[in-house]
Amino acid sequence: NSTAYADLFEKRGDAQLEQKKLEQTIQSYKQCEELCRMYSYYERWTSVLEKQRDMFARAQMTRERQDAESALRAVSQQQSEDARQ
């Protein structure tokens, strides 16, 4: 089940973040993001992007935070468009 894998990658990233493993966290969240993109799993996609945004803000990674914010806006727009169809 593709959504279960996306959930798994998010939880894995959460655990890695708790262990302060930033590179591994980013990788897990990106894998989750890719699955969510492929299967239009908006709830999880939004969640993982919000976590990335917050993580990048705490790490003072401005460009990455801005990228996550931009991606959040795009996902919200895509979700609205899909809902109208």
Side-chain angles (χ1 to χ4, degrees):
N1 183 329
S2 55
T3 57
Y5 281 114
D7 295 344
L8 177 69
F9 280 116
E10 183 185 31
K11 296 295 183 201
R12 180 176 164 192
D14 293 346
Q16 291 163 327
L17 184 59
E18 287 293 318
Q19 297 171 6
K20 308 221 184 302
K21 296 179 176 180
L22 187 59
E23 288 298 319
Q24 292 93 333
T25 301
I26 293 169
Q27 184 178 27
S28 291
Y29 285 165
K30 291 295 182 185
Q31 288 174 304
C32 176
E33 192 178 341
E34 287 301 314
L35 285 170
C36 292
R37 180 179 293 114
M38 284 193 297
Y39 297 102
S40 300
Y41 187 18
Y42 295 112
E43 179 182 346
R44 188 66 53 232
W45 197 357
T46 299
S47 173
V48 81
L49 284 169
E50 288 171 345
K51 289 177 182 186
Q52 288 179 72
R53 178 199 59 204
D54 296 345
M55 175 183 64
F56 293 139
R58 283 191 304 275
Q60 299 180 343
M61 298 170 73
T62 305
R63 184 178 54 81
E64 291 85 351
R65 178 188 50 79
Q66 291 170 339
D67 289 346
E69 289 171 346
S70 177
L72 272 166
R73 286 189 296 275
V75 168
S76 178
Q77 182 178 2
Q78 183 65 46
Q79 185 176 13
S80 293
E81 290 173 9
D82 285 358
R84 282 181 262 169
Q85 295 178 358

